[in-house]
Amino acid sequence: MQSRFFTLRDYPTGTPPRELFELRQHELPALDEGEVRIRNTWLSVDPYMRGRMSGVRTYVAPFELNAPMEGAAIGEVVESRHTRFKAGDKVRHMAGWRDVAQLKGDVLESLPDMDVPDQAYLGVLGMPGMTAWTGLNRIANLREGDNVLVSAASGAVGSLAVQLAKAKGGTVVGIAGAADKLEWLEQRDIHAVSYKGKDARQLGADLEDACPEGFDVYFENVGGDCLEAALDHLKVGARIAICGLISRYNSEAPDRGPSNLANLLVQRARMQGFIVADHWTEYPHFLEEVGPRVARGEIDYAETVEEGLERTPDAFLKLFEGANRGKMLIRL
Amino acid sequence: MQSRFFTLRDYPTGTPPRELFELRQHELPALDEGEVRIRNTWLSVDPYMRGRMSGVRTYVAPFELNAPMEGAAIGEVVESRHTRFKAGDKVRHMAGWRDVAQLKGDVLESLPDMDVPDQAYLGVLGMPGMTAWTGLNRIANLREGDNVLVSAASGAVGSLAVQLAKAKGGTVVGIAGAADKLEWLEQRDIHAVSYKGKDARQLGADLEDACPEGFDVYFENVGGDCLEAALDHLKVGARIAICGLISRYNSEAPDRGPSNLANLLVQRARMQGFIVADHWTEYPHFLEEVGPRVARGEIDYAETVEEGLERTPDAFLKLFEGANRGKMLIRL
């Protein structure tokens, strides 16, 4: 059986050009004992993957050049030589960016049995959802009544973060760009603030209007002017969870850095970076808490879907254009 | 009896000029019931006082213009109409910047009975010492074997921080400027790194040499290039306690901000501002732990002493020139 997969030709500087991604194929060898062959049905592209294209080890090793790229995926077992899996089983794994994967069964996760679509396990009940839950609860110590600010608030992570925060009863403000994203937030009773065409000072003025008391928690996905504006609107004892800094990922020049870090001192505030993989042992706990709410339709999760393996790099690049609402997915 | 005291004529921008401070005097009224008159023997000047000259409420109210300034002081009771105090008692209070203070007895603290000089309660066993202990233990969660970096490492706070950190057994690196400060650090087995004439990159290279493994804890007193260099040398899970940002206090332009805050994310590190007053209920605990070590001579605390009330503003201004080693004091 043939497997088609994407490889990376080189490590880009700045925004990766489309030609960097090469679609190749090879004939898969017969299954070894313990191996499983999976036909992928859904692929995930995520902002963190830009870090794996840097050629420098950060918190995750870089993609190997000219080798199959990796990422979260969901698929159906077509052939198995592993006792735990049989043909037809639905599984989640990290051999994305390809149509057919062949893996040791030990690295596969069976999809949980909940009344949600399969692809939810790549989004609201997958790594992005777990990231939102971890950042709020384990890093920012979200409490009842906290005022919460979320940047990239309609993205895969942010869109769950605002809803989990809203359930705690405080004022929740989401920063986003496009009109449909702002509308989505407002419909969920989240104060929506647009960052478009604003510097940190102007953005800060809008945050002031949306939440004059200031924020107990800032869930940071963006960096740059969003961080600077947020630092001016912290309550005493505020907690900032740094989940991502997408404004920086394609940047070639060094960042300017917020001019107002001294507010951490004045407000006795805390800023902490986190990586969801460090907290993965808590995934069952997250699933137990959030899964039933998703199944009951209490949590609204958006998806932006591209069709066909060929579109995977395009879907990935759209993440940096702010073109997705909710989880960016590829349906095969 | 006359009291001579300093007042502030105006709120300065940038480095305060000497003429801003005016020495005045007035005749003290007779003691009311519950009041105590104290002849001050030692006055403290501290970097945080610059914040009280800004005219803007930050974490502490600004000094009132043309009114007696305030600050930590130690003195001897000369007259008392409070049941808890009698003439000759030694006390600590906040009516500094003057020679004779008249206060309600309820705001006075009796000096603890330990075998240390009186003025130690303004330094190593006072607010600066408590600040070092709190930042390391309560904010940065110092653990056995941690590698610790301290900026302004020979100052009133830093000089205790390096010694408390050293006692935990890890590599301790102190950033300082003048040759005698670097020498003082080296004599205590602290790796001394000079910041003089270096940008963040060069300073970072020296930190790399001093502690190639990177730091678990950074005790931040300075900001600017020190913070930027430190952010490049954090271990996974590092904790930064922001105690002060003295490089900024007289600055008129907005700060540039570190260009490498993304390292907080990569290293899952935490940065937290703190103000020692929030933790003052722990002062007895600190005194019990650190006091006996000071009394036994196990902790070396430097003092820089100016003589006479008239020199109080000069002593204060020297803090920003890096002219003090250890605690800056005025002996009356």
Side-chain angles (χ1 to χ4, degrees), chain B residues 30-45:
Chain B
L31 283 185
D32 268 344
E33 185 60 36
E35 284 190 336
V36 178
R37 187 172 289 171
I38 304 120
R39 185 179 301 282
N40 287 335
T41 50
W42 292 93
L43 306 180
S44 178
V45 284

Side-chain angles (χ1 to χ4, degrees), chain B:
Chain B
M1 186 181 264
Q2 293 283 312
S3 171
R4 295 192 307 147
F5 54 93
F6 275 96
T7 65
L8 203 60
R9 292 179 207 265
D10 202 356
Y11 297 121
T13 53
T15 303
R18 177 63 180 80
E19 313 80 66
L20 205 73
F21 303 91
E22 185 180 12
L23 185 58
R24 301 194 189 178
Q25 63 178 26
H26 61 189
E27 178 71 22
L28 293 168
L31 283 185
D32 268 344
E33 185 60 36
E35 284 190 336
V36 178
R37 187 172 289 171
I38 304 120
R39 185 179 301 282
N40 287 335
T41 50
W42 292 93
L43 306 180
S44 178
V45 284
D46 302 276
Y48 83 86
M49 292 171 173
R50 179 65 184 81
R52 299 197 64 185
M53 298 175 190
S54 74
V56 178
R57 187 178 177 93
T58 54
Y59 55 85
V60 53
F63 288 122
E64 196 182 329
L65 294 182
N66 303 308
M69 293 173 68
E70 296 170 336
I74 279 171
E76 233 180 82
V77 172
V78 289
E79 195 186 339
S80 172
R81 291 189 66 192
H82 189 282
T83 51
R84 207 153 52 85
F85 299 97
K86 61 178 193 308
D89 285 355
K90 289 178 176 176
V91 294
R92 181 171 61 184
H93 57 84
M94 287 302 290
W97 292 82
R98 73 193 79 179
D99 57 1
V100 181
Q102 189 156 315
L103 294 165
K104 289 199 171 19
D106 298 343
V107 304
L108 302 177
E109 291 174 275
S110 296
L111 288 201
D113 183 23
M114 304 185 98
D115 188 18
V116 301
D118 293 349
Q119 71 274 23
Y121 297 107
L122 293 179
V124 66
L125 295 181
M127 184 274 282
M130 172 71 182
T131 300
W133 181 88
T134 300
L136 288 175
N137 293 293
R138 294 296 176 261
I139 307 300
N141 298 119
L142 180 65
R143 294 187 286 241
E144 289 292 332
D146 273 351
N147 296 340
V148 179
L149 176 65
V150 179
S151 59
S154 74
V157 175
S159 62
L160 182 59
V162 291
Q163 293 178 81
L164 293 178
K166 186 73 194 170
K168 296 286 185 182
T171 299
V172 181
V173 179
I175 301 175
D180 64 320
K181 296 179 178 182
L182 298 169
E183 194 184 331
W184 180 87
L185 289 164
E186 293 287 1
Q187 281 165 359
R188 262 125 221 108
D189 239 7
I190 313 294
H191 295 262
V193 168
S194 171
Y195 67 82
K196 292 262 179 180
K198 293 177 193 161
D199 62 16
R201 200 188 49 76
Q202 294 164 317
L203 187 54
D206 287 357
L207 297 183
E208 174 78 24
D209 287 345
C211 185
E213 261 195 318
F215 298 99
D216 300 285
V217 167
Y218 176 37
F219 193 107
E220 171 62 299
N221 291 305
V222 173
D225 287 340
C226 289
L227 179 56
E228 177 132 7
L231 281 166
D232 278 338
H233 292 88
L234 301 179
K235 285 174 73 176
V236 168
R239 290 87 63 199
I240 301 176
I242 304 190
C243 167
L245 297 164
I246 198 170
S247 71
R248 299 269 316 123
Y249 293 175
N250 286 327
S251 172
E252 295 178 64
D255 201 5
R256 196 173 39 83
S259 67
N260 54 355
L261 264 188
N263 287 331
L264 290 183
L265 181 54
V266 173
Q267 302 298 68
R268 298 81 127 175
R270 188 176 79 199
M271 177 149 78
Q272 184 169 353
F274 75 103
I275 289 163
V276 70
D278 292 345
H279 302 265
W280 206 256
T281 53
E282 291 215 70
Y283 181 71
H285 184 175
F286 154 74
L287 202 61
E288 190 180 0
E289 193 178 312
V290 180
R293 294 164 65 184
V294 173
R296 287 197 300 268
E298 292 167 17
I299 287 176
D300 183 44
Y301 57 102
E303 293 170 350
T304 302
V305 178
E306 295 280 329
E307 302 285 344
L309 178 66
E310 295 75 5
R311 298 285 300 159
T312 308
D314 308 273
F316 170 72
L317 293 171
K318 281 185 172 182
L319 292 171
F320 303 94
E321 297 159 13
N324 58 306
R325 196 154 64 68
K327 182 69 190 103
M328 180 65 96
L329 293 164
I330 301 95
R331 177 162 36 208
L332 303 190

Side-chain angles (χ1 to χ4, degrees), chain A:
Chain A
M1 185 181 266
Q2 294 282 312
S3 170
R4 295 192 307 148
F5 55 92
F6 276 96
T7 65
L8 203 61
R9 291 179 207 266
D10 203 355
Y11 297 121
T13 55
T15 303
R18 178 62 180 80
E19 313 78 68
L20 205 72
F21 303 91
E22 185 180 11
L23 185 58
R24 300 193 190 178
Q25 62 177 27
H26 61 190
E27 178 71 24
L28 293 169
L31 284 185
D32 267 345
E33 185 60 36
E35 283 189 337
V36 178
R37 187 173 288 172
I38 304 122
R39 185 178 301 282
N40 287 335
T41 50
W42 292 93
L43 306 180
S44 177
V45 285
D46 301 277
Y48 83 86
M49 291 172 174
R50 180 64 184 81
R52 300 197 65 185
M53 298 176 190
S54 74
V56 178
R57 187 178 176 90
T58 55
Y59 55 85
V60 52
F63 288 121
E64 197 182 328
L65 295 181
N66 303 307
M69 293 174 68
E70 296 170 336
I74 279 172
E76 232 179 83
V77 172
V78 289
E79 195 186 340
S80 172
R81 291 190 65 192
H82 190 282
T83 51
R84 207 152 53 82
F85 298 97
K86 60 178 194 307
D89 286 354
K90 289 178 176 177
V91 293
R92 181 171 61 184
H93 58 84
M94 286 302 290
W97 292 81
R98 74 193 78 181
D99 56 2
V100 181
Q102 190 156 315
L103 294 165
K104 287 197 175 18
D106 298 344
V107 303
L108 302 177
E109 292 175 274
S110 296
L111 287 201
D113 183 22
M114 305 185 96
D115 188 19
V116 302
D118 293 350
Q119 72 273 23
Y121 297 107
L122 293 179
V124 66
L125 295 181
M127 184 273 283
M130 172 71 183
T131 300
W133 182 88
T134 300
L136 288 175
N137 294 291
R138 295 295 177 260
I139 307 300
N141 297 120
L142 179 66
R143 294 187 286 242
E144 289 293 332
D146 274 351
N147 296 340
V148 179
L149 175 65
V150 179
S151 59
S154 72
V157 174
S159 61
L160 181 59
V162 292
Q163 293 178 80
L164 293 178
K166 185 73 194 170
K168 295 286 185 182
T171 299
V172 180
V173 179
I175 302 175
D180 64 322
K181 297 179 178 183
L182 299 169
E183 194 184 332
W184 180 87
L185 290 165
E186 292 287 2
Q187 282 164 358
R188 262 124 221 107
D189 236 6
I190 313 294
H191 295 262
V193 168
S194 172
Y195 66 82
K196 292 262 177 179
K198 294 177 192 162
D199 62 16
R201 200 189 49 74
Q202 295 164 316
L203 187 54
D206 287 355
L207 297 183
E208 175 77 25
D209 288 344
C211 185
E213 262 196 317
F215 298 99
D216 300 284
V217 167
Y218 176 37
F219 193 106
E220 170 63 299
N221 291 306
V222 172
D225 286 340
C226 290
L227 179 56
E228 178 132 4
L231 281 166
D232 277 338
H233 292 89
L234 300 179
K235 285 174 72 175
V236 167
R239 291 88 63 198
I240 301 176
I242 304 190
C243 167
L245 297 164
I246 198 170
S247 71
R248 300 270 313 122
Y249 293 176
N250 287 327
S251 173
E252 295 178 65
D255 200 6
R256 196 172 39 83
S259 67
N260 54 355
L261 264 187
N263 287 332
L264 289 183
L265 182 54
V266 173
Q267 303 298 69
R268 298 82 126 176
R270 189 175 81 199
M271 178 149 76
Q272 183 168 352
F274 75 103
I275 289 164
V276 70
D278 293 346
H279 302 266
W280 206 256
T281 54
E282 291 215 69
Y283 180 71
H285 184 175
F286 154 75
L287 202 61
E288 190 180 1
E289 193 177 312
V290 180
R293 294 165 64 185
V294 173
R296 287 196 300 267
E298 291 167 19
I299 288 175
D300 183 44
Y301 56 102
E303 293 170 350
T304 302
V305 178
E306 295 279 330
E307 302 285 344
L309 178 66
E310 295 76 6
R311 298 284 302 159
T312 309
D314 308 272
F316 171 73
L317 293 171
K318 281 186 173 181
L319 292 171
F320 302 94
E321 296 159 15
N324 58 305
R325 197 156 62 68
K327 183 69 190 100
M328 181 64 96
L329 293 164
I330 301 95
R331 177 164 32 207
L332 302 191

